[in-house]
């Protein structure tokens, strides 16, 4: 039996520097974004496990004996969504869930990730008790902000906790708690398996940022947390222009093959920006003062020009940079480019009026804006009473 009502949250992520160059073995810096996914966990009806994802219109419930039968031959080994193992009764997980093979809609993938993680974790650590899970998110989906990884991290932490594989570190009277380093490593490994169900072949960066928070250096498959990360205020802007990461990556590769003598130095410069930025961030105090920002702003400006040279800019992103520059603020794209999202640094001496004016001008372009922070904490356990009224309202929409 699980007897407590608790909540788990995990942050999204943005790429600070190193987009596209990282594909070619250069350094990228990924930072936790203080827009979070929240999971509410509470005791459920006896013999039933339910999950509700109001953001994608999912409300599903299964009886635990049926799940136990299905998990018959589920191994602890991760598999991609095309290779989900077959259950003891001959049904595959998608068939059991009533989802067509190869389905790629967010609601289908979110349901499959939940079922796969639930079955695999219970096969290794013992039955998942009868619980009711509701998930909501402040992160837009499909915007390159790590929303699926934040979901997978929350699920991993909650399921491992109710199975007893990790502790429940929140003491009575506390508002939040974090797990030990060893427990975080276990959460991260299971979140990565959830990401494999959703994405097939993820890098592991998004779930690592969701688990540990702060900032990570990523190079050629190696993930290293930065020693110290200041909390920096930013504007996050979604241009709402859809783009194909696959096509953008292919375009960069083509340009490098066509003009290697020109493009390789650009990649080397992006790599140098990532490494210089890492040094600057690690030398900064936790709450930097305005004089720490000019060098970060210059890095943004130079890297944005480099990304345009690589061919991943877009008129919407140029407009974003122009609008924020008119308010003396510095921006760059984050992620794949070609539309998508941009980030704008907000030094501590930026007046609230200037921030509001910039937001209004960006919204007037048809963009969506959030004032938030980077360098946020990773996966966290909360008492439900400590959550904001807005989050509690969202979690009640199930």
């Amino acid at each position: 039996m699980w007897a407590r009502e608790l909540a788990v949250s995990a942050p999204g992520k943005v790429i600070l520097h190193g987009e596209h160059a990282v594909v070619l073995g250069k350094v990228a810096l990924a930072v936790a974004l203080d827009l979070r996914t929240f999971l509410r966990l509470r005791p459920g009806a006896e013999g039933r496990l339910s999950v509700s994802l109001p953001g994608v219109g999912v409300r599903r419930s299964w009886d635990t004996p049926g799940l136990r039968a299905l998990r018959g031959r589920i191994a602890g080994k991760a598999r991609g969504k095309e290779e989900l193992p077959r259950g003891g009764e001959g049904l595959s997980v998608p068939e059991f869930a009533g989802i067509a093979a190869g389905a790629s809609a967010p609601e289908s993938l979110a349901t499959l990730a939940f079922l796969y993680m639930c079955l695999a974790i219970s096969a290794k650590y013992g039955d998942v008790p009868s619980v009711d899970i509701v998930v909501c998110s402040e992160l837009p989906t499909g915007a390159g902000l790590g929303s699926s990884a934040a979901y997978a991290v929350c699920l991993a932490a909650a399921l491992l906790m109710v199975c007893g594989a990790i502790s429940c570190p929140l003491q009575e009277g506390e508002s939040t708690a974090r797990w030990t380093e060893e427990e975080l490593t276990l959460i991260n490994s299971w979140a990565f398996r959830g990401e494999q169900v959703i994405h097939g072949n993820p890098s592991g960066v998004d779930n690592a940022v969701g688990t540990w928070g702060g900032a990570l250096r990523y190079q050629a498959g190696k993930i290293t947390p930065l020693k110290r990360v200041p909390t920096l205020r930013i504007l996050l802007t979604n241009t709402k222009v859809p783009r194909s990461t696959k096509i953008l990556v292919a375009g960069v590769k083509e340009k490098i093959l066509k003009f290697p003598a020109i493009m390789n130095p650009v990649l080397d410069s992006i790599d140098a920006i990532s490494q210089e930025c890492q040094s600057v961030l690690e030398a900064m105090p936790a709450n930097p003062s305005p004089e720490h920002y000019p060098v970060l702003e210059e890095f943004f400006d130079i890297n944005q020009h480099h990304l345009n040279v690589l061919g991943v800019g877009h008129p919407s992103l140029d407009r974003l940079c122009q609008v924020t520059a008119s308010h003396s603020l510095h921006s760059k794209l984050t992620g794949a480019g070609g539309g998508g999202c941009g980030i704008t640094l907000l030094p501590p001496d930026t007046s609230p009026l200037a921030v509001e004016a910039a937001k209004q001008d960006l919204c007037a372009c048809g963009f969506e804006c959030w004032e938030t922070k980077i360098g946020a904490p990773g996966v966290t356990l909360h008492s439900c009473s400590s959550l904001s009224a807005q989050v509690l309202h969202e979690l009640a929409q199930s």
Side-chain angles (χ1 to χ4, degrees):
M1 268 297 291
W2 180 257
R4 295 180 71 178
E5 181 171 349
L6 296 168
V8 178
S9 77
K13 74 93 179 56
V14 292
I15 301 294
L16 200 57
H17 293 293
E19 296 91 341
H20 291 282
V22 71
V23 178
L24 298 147
K26 308 298 185 186
V27 173
L29 298 181
V31 290
L33 183 64
D34 203 20
L35 294 173
R36 304 180 75 84
T37 291
F38 293 87
L39 179 154
R40 188 194 68 203
L41 178 71
R42 64 183 179 190
E46 187 58 40
R48 293 202 74 76
L49 182 65
S50 67
V51 62
S52 179
L53 314 170
V56 290
V58 169
R59 177 145 186 81
R60 301 292 300 268
S61 180
W62 298 278
D63 65 84
T64 46
L67 289 172
R68 202 174 293 126
L70 177 66
R71 82 169 186 226
R73 287 163 52 202
I74 297 271
K77 188 179 175 185
R79 296 169 187 248
K81 59 177 181 280
E82 300 301 330
E83 304 176 64
L84 283 165
R86 303 184 76 79
E89 297 178 348
L91 278 174
S92 71
V93 176
E95 285 168 338
F96 177 81
I99 293 169
S104 59
E107 60 272 22
S108 300
L109 294 177
T111 304
L112 288 176
F114 175 82
L115 267 177
Y116 171 72
M117 291 174 73
C118 194
L119 292 165
I121 286 172
S122 66
K124 190 168 178 68
Y125 301 107
D127 281 348
V128 173
S130 301
V131 288
D132 181 35
I133 286 173
V134 183
V135 182
C136 72
S137 188
E138 298 168 335
L139 293 157
T141 56
L145 300 175
S147 60
S148 67
Y151 168 65
V153 170
C154 285
L155 271 186
L159 293 171
L160 289 166
M161 184 171 65
V162 297
C163 284
I166 60 174
S167 67
C168 177
L170 191 75
Q171 303 301 314
E172 289 295 338
E174 288 183 335
S175 56
T176 62
R178 302 283 317 275
W179 286 272
T180 65
E181 192 64 26
E182 187 180 352
E183 290 172 323
L184 290 174
T185 300
L186 188 62
I187 290 168
N188 184 56
S189 69
W190 281 100
F192 180 67
R193 296 179 186 202
E195 276 277 82
Q196 285 179 306
V197 175
I198 295 168
H199 290 301
N201 189 28
S203 68
V205 171
D206 289 14
N207 50 276
V209 173
T211 301
W212 279 284
L216 302 173
R217 171 192 170 114
Y218 179 78
Q219 184 177 25
K222 187 180 179 192
I223 299 170
T224 314
L226 269 61
K227 295 185 191 76
R228 272 195 333 176
V229 190
T231 302
L232 305 174
R233 284 173 64 222
I234 63 159
L235 270 184
L236 173 70
T237 303
N238 186 358
T239 67
K240 300 186 185 174
V241 174
R243 73 277 183 275
S244 163
T245 301
K246 191 175 179 180
I247 290 170
L248 288 159
V249 168
V252 171
K253 190 175 180 183
E254 189 181 327
K255 195 169 273 202
I256 292 163
L257 289 170
K258 190 175 180 182
F259 304 115
I262 297 168
M263 303 310 294
N264 284 322
V266 176
L267 295 170
D268 289 340
S269 182
I270 291 173
D271 186 58
I273 290 169
S274 295
Q275 297 196 55
E276 288 283 327
C277 185
Q278 178 180 347
S279 300
V280 169
L281 290 175
E282 289 185 330
M284 276 187 173
N287 294 299
S289 51
E291 67 266 19
H292 291 102
Y293 278 75
V295 66
L296 296 177
E297 291 173 336
E298 284 193 80
F299 290 160
F300 266 38
D301 294 343
I302 298 166
N303 203 0
Q304 179 61 23
H305 288 304
H306 284 343
L307 290 161
N308 280 328
V309 170
L310 290 181
V312 297
H314 188 271
S316 64
L317 294 163
D318 294 339
R319 185 78 189 115
L320 188 162
C321 291
Q322 288 161 3
V323 167
T324 55
S326 72
H327 297 280
S328 303
L329 298 170
H330 299 254
S331 304
K332 67 175 284 289
L333 68 84
T334 182
C341 292
I343 49 177
T344 305
L345 278 173
L346 297 177
D349 58 349
T350 310
S351 78
L353 285 174
V355 175
E356 199 50 46
K359 284 165 73 174
Q360 285 182 6
D361 288 352
L362 289 165
C363 290
C365 297
F367 304 156
E368 194 172 6
C369 249
W370 298 267
E371 192 177 339
T372 184
K373 298 184 181 79
I374 53 177
V379 64
T380 302
L381 187 61
H382 306 257
S383 68
C384 287
S385 61
S386 70
L387 299 177
S388 72
Q390 177 64 34
V391 169
L392 286 170
H393 175 74
E394 292 292 328
L395 289 170
Q397 298 306 296
S398 59

